[in-house]
Amino acid sequence: NAGVTQTPKFQVLKTGQSMTLQCAQDMNHNSMYWYRQDPGMGLRLIYYSASEGTTDKGEVPNGYNVSRLNKREFSLRLESAAPSQTSVYFCASSEFRYTEAFFGQGTRLTVV
Amino acid sequence: AQRVTQPEKLLSVFKGAPVELKCNYSYSGSPELFWYVQYSRQRLQLLLRHISRESIKGFTADLNKGETSFHLKKPFAQEEDSAMYYCALSAGNMLTFGGGTRLMVKP
């Protein structure tokens, strides 16, 4: 039972480079989320997707784009990476708003 | 807009002492509130949710709508409780987290 799988686990980018973080869940959940975790700031919502085909901005969407490819997959793209995007990124999924959210293991991204 | 505030970044207690991790929220509607925990080198996971009114690992949390709070309590802390704790609010389709409190339980 894989749950929520994120790739890659670690990544180092140069300023200006682009990359896509992949996330897949095998629990048939409707909602998926992308967060970033920074020291002292907790988890901040970047984007979320309430269902297949829909995406919405969260608290800190600038510099990111997302794609809900299908019900299983929700990717996060950095078009032109900046040092301020150095963070740990978490993907999560849940069935409804009342139920438990399941998290991936995180992607540690460093932009130099 | 919804917001979750955890005023303490770090809480340090001795084993056997009572613990209270504070959480305050702002939301105009009826919220669903959760506590999540992240142990060292593990994924973030659900600890408890207010709708279940349950006790998990000796922890309880009561929703106080008048004070807009959802504090997490445990009467006797254990060393294995040392972790990062996040309060979260679910409203609409958004799941919003607080800044987190690191709990350190000293022997």
Side-chain angles (χ1 to χ4, degrees):
Chain A
N1 45 340
V4 179
T5 304
Q6 288 180 236
T7 55
K9 290 184 180 178
F10 301 95
Q11 184 71 49
V12 178
L13 290 178
K14 293 182 178 179
T15 298
Q17 286 185 317
S18 63
M19 80 162 294
T20 300
L21 280 65
Q22 306 287 352
C23 175
Q25 52 93 7
D26 61 3
M27 295 170 283
N28 203 37
H29 285 167
N30 287 307
S31 298
M32 296 187 74
Y33 314 84
W34 275 106
Y35 294 91
R36 58 178 290 173
Q37 184 184 43
D38 301 293
M41 304 191 76
L43 285 157
R44 291 183 293 170
L45 183 64
I46 304 171
Y47 271 93
Y48 65 100
S49 171
S51 62
E52 185 179 354
T54 68
T55 61
D56 286 287
K57 294 179 180 179
E59 183 184 355
V60 288
N62 291 344
Y64 305 95
N65 285 301
V66 291
S67 295
R68 184 75 183 267
L69 305 170
N70 47 55
K71 194 169 186 179
R72 288 188 66 246
E73 298 172 287
F74 188 39
S75 63
L76 178 72
R77 183 161 178 83
L78 287 70
E79 290 291 351
S80 179
S84 60
Q85 294 178 305
T86 293
S87 187
V88 181
Y89 291 85
F90 288 96
C91 177
S93 71
S94 67
E95 180 59 24
F96 309 116
R97 56 179 284 209
Y98 309 100
T99 60
E100 178 177 0
F102 291 83
F103 283 80
Q105 79 277 23
T107 296
R108 186 172 294 275
L109 175 68
T110 302
V111 183
V112 297
Chain B
Q2 59 209 58
R3 183 178 293 275
V4 179
T5 303
Q6 294 178 250
E8 303 137 330
K9 286 187 167 50
L10 174 65
L11 187 61
S12 183
V13 301
F14 286 101
K15 177 182 174 181
V19 170
E20 182 179 44
L21 287 78
K22 291 184 168 51
C23 172
N24 291 92
Y25 67 91
S26 62
Y27 179 62
S28 57
S30 183
E32 303 296 332
L33 286 152
F34 306 82
W35 276 98
Y36 282 79
V37 61
Q38 188 175 28
Y39 300 104
S40 179
R41 301 181 190 283
Q42 293 187 28
R43 301 184 185 207
L44 200 66
Q45 58 187 283
L46 179 68
L47 181 61
L48 54 79
R49 70 197 85 184
H50 95 270
I51 197 170
S52 301
R53 304 182 69 82
E54 58 200 346
S55 174
I56 303 293
K57 299 184 179 181
F59 285 98
T60 58
D62 290 317
L63 177 61
N64 186 323
K65 291 187 177 181
E67 295 183 359
T68 60
S69 68
F70 188 56
H71 303 327
L72 183 69
K73 300 177 184 179
K74 185 170 183 176
F76 307 104
Q78 303 299 315
E79 289 181 68
E80 55 265 30
D81 295 329
S82 295
M84 194 75 181
Y85 291 80
Y86 290 96
C87 183
L89 183 155
S90 178
N93 293 308
M94 289 180 65
L95 182 59
T96 303
F97 286 82
T101 298
R102 181 167 297 282
L103 175 63
M104 292 179 58
V105 182
K106 297 176 286 188

